[in-house]
Amino acid sequence: MYQINMQESCLKVHPFINNQTLPCQSYTPIYDPGRLTSIVGKAGVSTPEDVDRAVKAAHQGFLTWQQLEPHVRIEKVMLAADILENSMSDLAHLLVREHGGLLQEAQMDFRGGYGNFKYYEGIVDKFMQPEEKEDENSWIRIEKKPKGVVVAIVPWNMPVVLTMMKLVPALMTGNTIVVKPSPRAPLALTLLLQRMAAVLPNGVINVVLGDAEVGAALTGHPLVKKVAFTGGCQNGKKVMANASSSLKAVTLELGGNDPAIILDDAPIEELMPRLIKGIFTRAGQICYAVKRLYVPQAMLNDFFDLMCEHLKGFRVGHGLDEHATMGPVNNLEQFRFVRELIIEAKSNGAVVRELGSKCDPDNWDNGYYILPHVVIDQDHKSRLVHCEQFGPVIPITPYQTIEEAIEMANDSNYGLGSSIWTGDYERGKKLAPQLEAGLTFINAHGLGSTAMGMPFGGIKDSGIGREMSAEPTLFAYTDFHAMRLLK
Ligand code: NAD
């Protein structure tokens, strides 16, 4: 089992194909975002030749994997679910050290991943059953067939669940997979996938490692039939363009700038802890975190004071520090970007409040730590309100009428999540359909608000396709084969 060593680690992870690790010519050091002087491990970098070998191995594996009866495949995939469940005890610690989240956030990632196995275990066999119809004139049979080699490209923020959202429906319906973890959190996920692959036939799960270049080699490979990508919006567009060369199917789960509208009847004292969780869990680095707030003008000052009061108790520190309630952001680019947004808001005259305290002041500058910030931004067009900040700063914009609030909420290129906060459930249910988004929550938002079976994904620049659901997801990993005999 992996042992935590807060100083230096000699852990090395390699890509693997057909259950065999591939030594690499170069390895990238992975630094702990909460303790930058500490190298957590090293991750190999795959070459274009490795990518080609991985895809070919997955294709070879597909030829036999697709022939298994669905219930047999499901049973085999469930062996990998047990591995995932048992791996949480050591790999969640490792994950914290490479991606910067709190230990309980990393554990949620594993549990979310496991939830995908339990959900699809119950529905895939029925979904895969062929349909037959016969009358005096004809016979019709409709089969669902797996597509072939699936590529899963994932980010660093919740790498386990985001991978399992793709891998489980892909494998259970008869596809094989090549996964490319993010170079910003490749260690725990690669070790986990290696353990899972070992209980499945060769070629069913394969991993390549590296950055955008390796990702592009995968999305352009002619043997790949489906790309499931989670990441930033601009990169998603590149993935789609590259995948078009051989008309691959794509699912894109991209960024979001989720609005939350607080109604004038919201019991805000009661809901504030839940709202704060929806904003600051994972230091705001969740695609469907609350990223902008719209509050009635008459409530603005009370709301702001209450939110600040709650955030005073936040303690920011290393994810393995049991006193920490929020970890650092993951990388230097993000760290600089979030700080730039805060400085820009101040210089534009916005009211900016920095809250919470440092768990370990001596280590503060040795990590990408940012205290939670709350901003009253009157300007709905400001960069902080309009971009995906992906960090622990939240803008609050006041509104006069509910129509104005809905208009501002919908005035975005993104359309992932959204929410309405109210004491009147019926009012919430009536307003929810007016929001332009893939997901709308009432009195909830962010991690823990979704449920398996509730199609997860966005509209506009937030993506294409749905995960974590029955037919919208399973159709994306299968093709129809329709046969007809005329009598
Ligand atoms: P990113 O787009 O930089 O990277 C995601 C993955 O794509 C990484 O593995 C990366 O190496 C790879 N990649 C980058 N460019 C590529 C290319 N041209 N071709 C193929 N692969 C490429 O995103 P990130 O910084 O790792 O993650 C943060 C972003 O992900 C945020 O925008 C966040 O909202 C989004 N996200 C979305 C969801 C969702 O479900 N909608 C979930 C989590 C994160």
Side-chain angles (χ1 to χ4, degrees), residues 1 26 32 37 125 149 295 300 347 350 362 367 411 428:
M1 286 295 189
S26 65
D32 182 340
T37 44
D125 189 33
V149 178
V295 174
L300 182 66
S347 65
D362 293 342
D411 180 23

Side-chain angles (χ1 to χ4, degrees), residues 49-64:
E49 293 74 36
D50 293 339
V51 170
D52 185 53
R53 286 166 67 187
V55 173
K56 285 182 174 153
H59 180 67
Q60 198 59 38
F62 170 68
L63 300 178
T64 40

Side-chain angles (χ1 to χ4, degrees), residues 215-233:
L218 283 171
T219 57
H221 198 293
L223 274 180
V224 171
K225 299 298 175 208
K226 155 99 190 160
V227 177
F229 174 87
T230 299
C233 175

